[in-house]
Amino acid sequence: MTGTLTLDTLKAAAAAGEIDTVLVCQVDMQGRLMGKRFHVQNFLDTGHEETHSCNYLLATDLPMETVQGYKSTSWESGYGDYVMKPDLSTLRRLPWLDGTAMVLCDMLDHHSHQPVPHSPRQMLKRQIARLADMGMKPMMATELEFYLFRESFEQLFDNGYRDMTPLSMFNQDYAIHLTTREDAVMRDIRNGLFGAGIPVENSKGEAYAGQEEINIRYAAALDTADFHTIVKTACKDIAWQHGRAVTFMAKYDTEVAGSSSHVHQSLWSDDGRTPLFHDPDGRFGMSKLMEHYVAGLLKHAAANTWFLAPYANSYKRFTTGLFAPTKAIWSNDNRTAGFRLCGENSKAIRIECRIGGADLNPYLALATQLAAGIDGIEQELALEEPHSGDAYEARDVREIPGTLRDATVALDRSDMLRAAFGDDVIDHYVHAARWEQAETDRTVTDWDRLRGFDRG
Ligand code: ADP
């Protein structure tokens, strides 16, 4: 695809005066891009080898608090550095920012130069490597929903994020005439991403006023997570350039549907040619391998939920009747179940996890889905019968944890996750989850005042 760069083509673009800035980025626990804006010359001279960032960047919460209690870093240990090692295969133009390119970095220990085990990109790479050892390659896609507003980010901030107006007036699910009115922003997003070498499939209106979905073609798992992170940044940047705001909160308003990020998953032979999930003689065209993989996803759905729903707000999306699943069951092409079989009896057969919100960190979500699927394969777990009918009404079936607190307990107790990532890594994220809970528990909200101030 066009848009991607090598060091040589970057050099040429810099000499031609086309590129003067390189964003050197890493991904934090929240799935955000963090980094520095390099002058292209400095990047070409030294920055492409490595640079550094403060190691508190994998120990902060959404508002960037220096949260204490992590083993990996603290005031006591002096908040040292990580090495940011550019992965030059991710070097690309960002056409929506004048004269700008970007590169994603892996995070390495400052002294040993070993990968930082709890860095999200490393966690995903570790699971991809396990599959590579088994002769398999995961192909994945993350659909991404968000809301687009008439106001700018600055206006909404000044207003305490109250009284925002969705850019469209009503339900715009698939509605072309409504998405025409938003296409100044959405077209720039599609074209900007395409120009950055990201294989955009389409965007569409979603079921509530102002709600959008953007789809990127499925790709190798690491590329998918990289794309997802860049897509979120592009949406924010381009909305801002148009004087509009977007949000990827799982649930920005009580009265409207939440925003999701469904994760499509399939395994292929390591040369990428043979779809290992497909067997024309299997039920719905599923191979035995796929049955084991899906059984693993189901078995570990509770343990994995925190990585699909990391904040207290995330759990407000799990509402009956709004297409967000509440049950860890599978079904064939049924959108009410947590896991939906798509592409039955075809080479495109895949499993879609519908639990995740638009607020998930794609590296963590993909890594933990793969770890659960690998466990299903290794244990040769049997796949139960599919669910049919309205899953919201299903009784006596595996529930997805309904609160951050329950999801944190399931995460902490998961032997599968501890074996796949190591105790230190899982303890790191349990600490992040507990911090989030503690912050939620102590905070007085608008809702508390509205309910209690004069009525109690
Ligand atoms: P939906 O019915 O969920 O809208 P789509 O046809 O739009 O389904 O596909 C959703 C996503 O699934 C797309 O991003 C597509 O690239 C991805 N996808 C298609 N085939 C595969 C596959 N074999 N493995 C993983 N993802 C796939």
Side-chain angles (χ1 to χ4, degrees), residues 139-143 174 201-202 213 215-218 262 264-266 268 335 340 342 347-350 352 354:
M139 298 295 284
M140 303 179 100
T142 55
E143 300 170 80
Y174 294 94
E201 287 187 332
N202 52 54
E213 178 179 278
N215 289 300
I216 309 300
R217 188 177 314 139
Y218 71 103
H262 300 154
H264 291 255
Q265 319 174 34
S266 59
W268 294 66
R335 286 189 162 79
R340 178 171 74 121
C342 301
K347 284 185 161 183
I349 195 163
R350 58 193 185 271
E352 176 194 33
R354 298 177 57 81

Side-chain angles (χ1 to χ4, degrees), residues 223-368:
D223 288 340
T224 295
D226 290 346
F227 294 163
H228 181 115
T229 308
I230 298 167
V231 169
K232 274 179 85 166
T233 305
C235 291
K236 289 199 167 195
D237 287 355
I238 294 168
W240 175 79
Q241 288 168 340
H242 284 269
R244 310 293 193 189
V246 293
T247 187
F248 293 93
M249 284 182 73
K251 185 97 172 169
Y252 92 89
D253 188 289
T254 314
E255 307 304 330
V256 306
S259 293
S260 62
S261 179
H262 300 154
V263 181
H264 291 255
Q265 319 174 34
S266 59
L267 295 180
W268 294 66
S269 56
D270 45 14
D271 61 5
R273 294 222 177 115
T274 314
L276 301 178
F277 274 6
H278 185 220
D279 176 356
D281 299 327
R283 63 173 155 167
F284 302 116
M286 275 192 286
S287 64
K288 274 276 163 254
L289 182 89
M290 178 169 185
E291 295 219 358
H292 296 322
Y293 184 95
V294 176
L297 295 185
L298 292 173
K299 179 176 176 192
H300 301 297
N304 278 353
T305 296
W306 184 76
F307 292 105
L308 300 162
Y311 312 112
N313 177 264
S314 314
Y315 295 82
K316 298 179 182 173
R317 185 180 136 254
F318 298 138
T319 320
T320 299
L322 284 177
F323 283 111
T326 55
K327 306 285 195 305
I329 51 184
W330 77 280
S331 71
N332 182 28
D333 202 14
N334 176 333
R335 286 189 162 79
T336 62
F339 295 88
R340 178 171 74 121
L341 179 78
C342 301
E344 63 174 303
N345 293 314
S346 77
K347 284 185 161 183
I349 195 163
R350 58 193 185 271
I351 191 79
E352 176 194 33
C353 170
R354 298 177 57 81
I355 300 169
D359 54 351
L360 58 70
N361 176 330
Y363 298 88
L364 301 179
L366 269 49
T368 49

Side-chain angles (χ1 to χ4, degrees), residues 152-162:
S152 67
F153 283 110
E154 289 80 2
Q155 284 167 320
L156 291 182
F157 175 81
D158 290 347
N159 204 16
Y161 302 105
R162 285 191 201 92

Side-chain angles (χ1 to χ4, degrees), residues 89-109:
S89 71
T90 67
L91 190 61
R92 52 178 24 95
R93 290 173 195 270
L94 296 186
W96 62 92
L97 298 179
D98 279 347
T100 301
M102 76 162 284
V103 71
L104 282 162
C105 297
D106 289 307
M107 299 168 80
L108 310 181
D109 182 90

